[in-house]
């Protein structure tokens, strides 16, 4: 079942719609047209009790005034960081917004994909239902080259999985790196910590960064570091040993173990012993950014609940940060004769 309601309007008077999507077992997701954003995910725990496990706000105003958290949004055109906001493509220099000093972050300051209102088309199929969002970003928007036509389709399956499919085409070569920026706490959004969640990441390597969180270009082994999540490990167990970056906590891009480029792989599994909920993340992307909520500072979210430091985690499936300036990383350049695609699945179950 898919239903539609109003979610208020933007400060410049554009209507924002809210879509509520429910499957036969009662799992519900909520999506808004601003930023093609996932604002709610109600899933059962091992006793069948439903909780909303993602972060968000109750009003359009709060989404608009939040400048740094990116709750649940479609992130881009280039998610993650680009060094000093600079790149050269087809011999031309580009300067993007420097909105995360000294770098560009998550597509820019004014018209990044999380801040614009998308068109939406709900759909229902025999075992799946959802919403297809589309947005055409004009040539030069946020200083990115090319008119980029983007579709993001959220599907809720009968089996409690959210499938997010991305598609984009351009009329000029341009960097594209899309992701979803949901924050999860499997005990329920607003629970004070994710330290007791048990995480597995299917990665032997990660991309070490400089002190502004830009990769050095090296692919380093996770062996013997607090980034070795190849076997299930409590997130809190080694978080205080992390002193390798300015993020002072988990905020790292992992290089997924993939047999072939673009092949669907399990990126990560998160298990919450308290509720029994399990989140399995699958993707066609080469990387996943595991961000442990180090920049959360207790701001109030949905239903008046505060989101404390390290009380939510993101598993952002994407290409590696600053790929556009790192020739050895998988390319993020989309050419006019190509179609960008990505699938990311957030599947829920219980143990
Ligand atoms: C990403 C980044 C983090 C932070 C968050 C948003 O996950 O890697 O450093 O900027 O987004 O707060």
């Amino acid at each position: 079942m898919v239903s539609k309601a109003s979610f208020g309007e933007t400060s410049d008077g554009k209507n924002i719609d809210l879509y509520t999507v429910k499957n036969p077992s009662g799992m519900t997701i909520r999506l808004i047209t601003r930023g093609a954003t996932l604002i709610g995910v109600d899933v059962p725990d091992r006793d069948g009790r439903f909780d909303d496990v993602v972060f968000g706000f109750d009003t359009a105003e709060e989404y608009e005034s939040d400048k740094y958290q990116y709750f649940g949004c479609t992130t881009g055109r280039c998610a993650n960081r680009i060094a000093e906001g600079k790149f050269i493509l087809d011999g031309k220099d580009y300067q993007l917004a420097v909105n995360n000093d000294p770098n560009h972050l998550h597509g820019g300051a004014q018209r990044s994909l999380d801040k614009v209102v998308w068109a939406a088309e709900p759909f229902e199929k025999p075992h799946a239902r959802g919403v297809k969002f589309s947005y055409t970003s004009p040539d030069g928007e946020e200083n990115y080259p090319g008119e980029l036509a983007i579709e993001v389709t959220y599907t809720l399956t009968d089996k409690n999985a959210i499938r997010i499919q991305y598609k984009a085409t351009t009329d000029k070569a341009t960097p594209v790196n899309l992701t979803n920026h949901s924050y999860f706490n499997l005990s329920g959004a607003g629970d004070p910590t994710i330290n007791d969640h048990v995480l597995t990441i299917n990665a032997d390597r990660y991309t070490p960064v400089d002190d502004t969180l830009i990769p050095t270009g090296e692919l380093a082994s996770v062996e013997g570091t607090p980034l070795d999540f190849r076997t299930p490990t409590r997130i809190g167990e080694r978080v205080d040993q992390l002193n390798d970056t300015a993020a002072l906590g988990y905020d790292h891009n992992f290089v997924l173990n993939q047999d072939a480029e673009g092949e669907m792989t399990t990126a990560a599994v998160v298990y919450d012993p308290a509720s029994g909920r399990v989140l399995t993340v699958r993707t066609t992307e080469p990387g996943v950014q595991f961000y442990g909520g180090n920049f959360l500072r207790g701001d109030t979210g949905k239903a008046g609940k505060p989101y404390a430091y390290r009380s939510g985690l993101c598993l952002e499936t994407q290409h590696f940060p600053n790929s556009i300036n790192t020739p050895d990383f998988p390319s993020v350049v989309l050419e006019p004769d190509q179609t960008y695609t990505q699938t990311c699945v957030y599947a829920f179950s219980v143990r």
Side-chain angles (χ1 to χ4, degrees):
M1 206 183 67
V2 185
S3 59
K4 179 181 169 183
S6 169
F7 195 74
E9 51 181 53
T10 62
S11 52
D12 57 356
K14 289 200 184 66
N15 289 326
I16 303 175
D17 293 325
L18 163 68
Y19 287 88
T20 303
V21 182
K22 196 168 180 172
N23 76 5
S25 39
M27 176 169 168
T28 304
I29 66 174
R30 286 177 290 281
L31 301 153
I32 56 170
T33 49
R34 181 184 187 272
T37 300
L38 180 61
I39 71 163
V41 174
D42 296 342
V43 281
D45 67 6
R46 63 161 77 84
D47 301 319
R49 195 191 112 116
F50 283 79
D51 274 306
D52 185 353
V53 297
V54 296
F55 289 15
F57 297 114
D58 291 325
T59 64
E61 293 71 41
E62 289 165 286
Y63 278 100
E64 231 172 50
S65 58
D66 178 37
K67 299 289 182 238
Y68 74 102
Q69 298 177 116
Y70 298 88
F71 291 158
C73 65
T74 297
T75 316
R77 295 183 186 192
C78 273
N80 220 311
R81 292 176 176 79
I82 294 178
E84 295 174 8
K86 290 184 200 303
F87 66 92
I88 302 174
L89 194 57
D90 292 340
K92 226 187 129 192
D93 285 294
Y94 291 91
Q95 177 67 60
L96 306 171
V98 172
N99 56 331
N100 187 247
D101 196 31
N103 301 316
H104 177 77
L105 177 70
H106 293 336
Q110 308 294 333
R111 302 272 309 165
S112 48
L113 298 180
D114 56 295
K115 297 179 183 68
V116 298
V117 177
W118 296 54
E121 232 178 277
F123 62 88
E124 309 219 22
K125 295 182 187 168
H127 298 286
R129 65 295 294 156
V131 182
K132 174 161 122 186
F133 292 98
S134 50
Y135 176 69
T136 299
S137 175
D139 187 2
E141 191 166 53
E142 281 292 345
N143 285 351
Y144 282 95
E147 179 181 280
L148 189 71
I150 316 161
E151 280 177 14
V152 179
T153 305
Y154 288 84
T155 303
L156 175 61
T157 72
D158 281 358
K159 294 186 170 162
N160 288 4
I162 306 167
R163 183 165 63 235
I164 312 174
Q165 286 160 299
Y166 301 80
K167 205 169 139 181
T169 52
T170 182
D171 61 358
K172 272 185 208 156
T174 192
V176 181
N177 188 23
L178 308 177
T179 195
N180 177 274
H181 208 293
S182 289
Y183 290 65
F184 299 94
N185 184 315
L186 298 181
S187 286
D191 184 87
T193 182
I194 49 155
N195 275 344
D196 296 326
H197 286 30
V198 177
L199 176 65
T200 314
I201 302 180
N202 179 22
D204 295 338
R205 292 173 302 169
Y206 73 106
T207 53
V209 292
D210 68 13
D211 52 17
T212 73
L213 303 181
I214 294 294
T216 60
E218 187 198 350
L219 305 184
S221 170
V222 295
E223 180 101 47
T225 76
L227 303 174
D228 189 347
F229 282 98
R230 290 175 296 181
T231 54
T233 308
R234 246 186 91 244
I235 291 173
E237 194 170 308
R238 301 167 305 187
V239 68
D240 292 326
Q241 298 167 22
L242 273 173
N243 51 11
D244 62 325
T245 77
L248 293 176
Y250 287 112
D251 197 355
H252 294 77
N253 171 65
F254 289 78
V255 179
L256 295 173
N257 299 331
Q258 235 174 357
D259 289 335
E261 197 186 319
E263 185 189 64
M264 190 78 164
T265 333
T266 297
V269 180
V270 191
Y271 168 55
D272 172 31
S275 66
R277 291 189 183 96
V278 179
L279 166 65
T280 303
V281 183
R282 290 193 291 273
T283 187
T284 52
E285 287 296 285
V288 67
Q289 180 89 10
F290 165 38
Y291 168 56
N294 310 303
F295 301 123
L296 294 169
R297 46 183 191 218
D299 292 3
T300 304
K302 286 178 284 188
K305 290 184 180 161
Y307 297 143
Y309 176 61
R310 293 185 182 162
S311 69
L313 66 94
C314 302
L315 289 159
E316 309 158 39
T317 61
Q318 57 189 256
H319 274 56
F320 310 162
N322 200 35
S323 289
I324 189 68
N325 295 309
T326 319
D328 290 345
F329 285 177
S331 173
V332 291
V333 176
L334 179 69
E335 301 283 349
D337 59 350
Q338 299 173 329
T339 301
Y340 169 95
T341 58
Q342 175 192 170
T343 301
C344 167
V345 176
Y346 291 127
F348 293 89
S349 56
V350 289
R351 254 181 232 164

